[in-house]
Amino acid sequence: MTEPAGLRERKKQRTRKTLIETAYRLFERQGYDGTTTAEIASAAEVSTATFFNHFATKEDLVLTEDGSRILSTGLDVLMAREAGEPPARLLRRAMLRMLAEAGAGLRDPAGEPERIRLELITSVPSLRATMLQRAFDAQQRLAAALCGACEGELDEIDAAVMVGAVTGAIFAAGLTALRAGTPLDEAMRRAIDLTTA
């Protein structure tokens, strides 16, 4: 007898979460470069093949594809602009919705794994380079969507500046929160509020 699709999906998500959390503990103890995918799989009590069913590489585990789901959420908000909604309020709504979507997925912005993940991204050169490229691509897509949603009110530069200000503030708030021990989600929400006020 086969499992219902919903049960299979929940098991898959649990396995992914276990792999991520196990990997982050190992990365903290052994370092990113000193940890192999086989060690992660073994510590998570799954096969190496199961690891690769979920993540193509160790880098993909840290930079999960949650980002594309989160970005799609923001783009959807921008495309469904409410009549007369000011551009800054629209952007704020999109960014807060993206933050909420991040919390609903594998990457809880308030959780310990996210703190470890951000520390890895800022300290491991290959992760930092990939993350910066992905962030740059996401900023361009958000700016284009904001410009399109606010046609006649914003030009491409205005939209790029607004999105860049918010995303830069979120990144700066996240790094500061890590150092200060402040909850990440609170710091990110404050960054969004301040830059869109």
Side-chain angles (χ1 to χ4, degrees):
M1 192 162 100
T2 61
E3 296 175 332
L7 178 60
R8 273 195 310 273
E9 185 57 31
R10 285 193 303 276
K11 281 185 175 180
K12 180 180 174 184
Q13 290 303 315
R14 271 195 308 270
T15 300
R16 287 175 67 80
K17 187 173 184 183
T18 298
L19 283 165
I20 290 168
E21 290 174 355
T22 301
Y24 289 176
R25 283 193 300 275
L26 290 172
F27 295 155
E28 259 202 324
R29 205 167 46 239
Q30 303 173 185
Y32 177 79
D33 292 324
T35 304
T36 67
T37 54
E39 288 172 319
I40 296 166
S42 176
E45 300 180 345
V46 299
S47 68
T48 305
T50 298
F51 177 94
F52 288 116
N53 284 339
H54 291 276
F55 303 102
T57 65
K58 190 168 60 168
E59 184 179 81
D60 287 342
L61 182 143
V62 177
L63 304 172
T64 61
E65 74 278 355
D66 273 5
S68 57
R69 178 180 50 80
I70 294 164
L71 176 60
S72 291
T73 297
L75 294 172
D76 289 346
V77 170
L78 293 174
M79 288 187 287
R81 180 185 184 192
E82 296 172 3
E85 186 174 21
R89 187 179 308 154
L90 172 63
L91 181 58
R92 177 182 183 276
R93 199 163 53 83
M95 299 306 286
L96 288 173
R97 186 65 193 102
M98 290 170 69
L99 185 61
E101 185 67 22
L106 293 173
R107 289 173 30 195
D108 175 6
E112 179 67 6
E114 185 66 3
R115 180 196 62 77
I116 297 168
R117 178 181 171 281
L118 287 175
E119 286 180 352
L120 287 167
I121 290 169
T122 58
S123 64
V124 177
S126 62
L127 293 174
R128 186 171 50 236
T130 302
M131 188 62 182
L132 285 173
Q133 183 58 55
R134 289 183 184 184
F136 179 71
D137 293 344
Q139 279 182 282
Q140 287 186 312
R141 292 185 62 195
L142 286 166
L146 180 63
C147 187
C150 301
E151 191 174 353
E153 298 171 67
L154 298 176
D155 65 15
E156 291 178 8
I157 293 174
D158 295 337
V161 168
M162 288 177 69
V163 170
V166 175
T167 55
I170 290 170
F171 185 71
L175 291 179
T176 304
L178 284 176
R179 286 193 302 273
T182 305
L184 286 169
D185 58 335
E186 287 177 26
M188 292 176 181
R189 193 170 288 108
R190 281 175 61 190
I192 293 167
D193 288 343
L194 283 169
T195 52
T196 57

